Amino acid sequence: AQKITQTQPGMFVQEKEAVTLDCTYDTSDQSYGLFWYKQPSSGEMIFLIYQGSYDEQNATEGRYSLNFQKARKSANLVISASQLGDSAMYFCAMRRTGRRALTFGSGTRLQVQP
Amino acid sequence: DAGVTQSPTHLIKTRGQQVTLRCSPISGHKSVSWYQQVLGQGPQFIFQYYEKEERGRGNFPDRFSARQFPNYSSELNVNALLLGDSALYLCASTLTVAGEEHFGDGTRLSIL
């Protein structure tokens, strides 16, 4: 079975600073994908970034980067230059290659302060 | 282009009733998945449909059922509603079976 653990229920960051949201995962599979989603209060899940288990480079998408440490089974999200609009819930998720379902963590609520 | 659309946005039902939630995927997307998100938790996978066939099912009772239509839209049905079914129900579509999921805004279901 797969499990995603997000140990930070809430985080505060000052505007324009960088912040790291932690994610660890547990799986016996060798091939899998890791995802980060943002969920504003409106409810929509917004895809941010993806990392495949065999990708050698850490994924980056604009201000988002994923710090992937396979041996430690961690996939932390780094947001650079935080903006007020980054305030939201952030979910880490994984999916076994070839399978259908995403397994989500419990989320981290990020609040960006001016 | 329109994203994933779900209807209704909010719904209030009483215990024992039945409910139908609807989802229209992004144009061209043939796979639809349903997730349940209870307040304070991450979403949990309920179903995935691809080309009108069920391709995956999560750990939910038989009271939950779904189907996908020829135009790739989907309905989620829940019978004999329980208080614990109160949640945000999210629909996601993907271009292929294992592609990146694009989520709708969800239907917020409240059971009284």
Side-chain angles (χ1 to χ4, degrees):
Chain A
Q2 302 171 94
K3 186 177 181 181
I4 298 284
T5 301
Q6 294 181 253
T7 58
Q8 306 154 311
M11 290 279 286
F12 289 90
V13 65
Q14 291 293 123
E15 196 177 6
K16 300 180 184 177
E17 291 186 349
V19 63
T20 298
L21 306 184
D22 294 341
C23 172
T24 58
Y25 59 92
D26 187 18
T27 183
S28 57
D29 296 298
Q30 297 301 311
S31 182
Y32 50 87
L34 296 156
F35 302 77
W36 276 92
Y37 283 86
K38 172 184 178 182
Q39 188 177 42
S41 55
S42 60
E44 182 186 4
M45 300 288 282
I46 301 168
F47 168 76
L48 296 178
I49 196 166
Y50 166 82
Q51 178 87 40
S53 59
Y54 290 114
D55 294 342
E56 295 184 353
Q57 301 265 4
N58 284 342
T60 60
E61 288 285 350
R63 295 186 299 111
Y64 305 106
S65 60
L66 200 152
N67 184 1
F68 180 48
Q69 298 186 45
K70 192 171 182 177
R72 298 179 60 183
K73 293 188 175 179
S74 74
N76 298 338
L77 177 71
V78 180
I79 305 175
S80 63
S82 297
Q83 302 172 356
L84 295 178
D86 294 335
S87 294
M89 284 291 290
Y90 288 81
F91 290 94
C92 180
M94 75 177 296
R95 182 172 62 205
R96 297 164 63 182
T97 299
R99 299 300 289 265
R100 323 305 181 198
L102 282 169
T103 300
F104 285 86
S106 56
T108 295
R109 179 171 297 282
L110 177 66
Q111 296 188 55
V112 181
Q113 298 175 319
Chain B
D1 287 343
V4 177
T5 57
Q6 294 187 242
S7 63
T9 53
H10 293 86
L11 203 50
I12 298 174
K13 291 285 188 178
T14 57
R15 282 178 295 175
Q17 286 188 311
Q18 174 266 341
V19 69
T20 298
L21 310 181
R22 295 176 175 82
C23 172
S24 293
I26 292 172
S27 178
H29 284 197
K30 299 181 179 180
S31 175
V32 169
S33 297
W34 288 95
Y35 290 81
Q36 180 197 63
Q37 186 178 18
V38 173
L39 191 63
Q41 297 180 18
Q44 279 199 293
F45 173 75
I46 310 175
F47 286 111
Q48 188 197 44
Y49 277 77
Y50 180 73
E51 291 279 16
K52 302 182 289 296
E53 290 188 4
E54 182 182 305
R55 293 300 191 96
R57 184 185 185 112
N59 188 23
F60 280 81
D62 291 344
R63 298 185 297 108
F64 289 77
S65 63
R67 56 180 174 168
Q68 187 177 32
F69 299 98
N71 65 354
Y72 303 112
S73 67
S74 178
E75 287 182 351
L76 175 70
N77 296 286
V78 187
N79 293 322
L81 287 166
L82 304 174
L83 293 178
D85 296 331
S86 294
L88 178 68
Y89 288 84
L90 293 162
C91 174
S93 74
T94 58
L95 189 60
T96 61
V97 170
E100 164 198 321
E101 309 235 34
H102 298 263
F103 285 84
D105 288 345
T107 293
R108 202 166 294 275
L109 176 64
S110 298
I111 311 301
L112 303 179

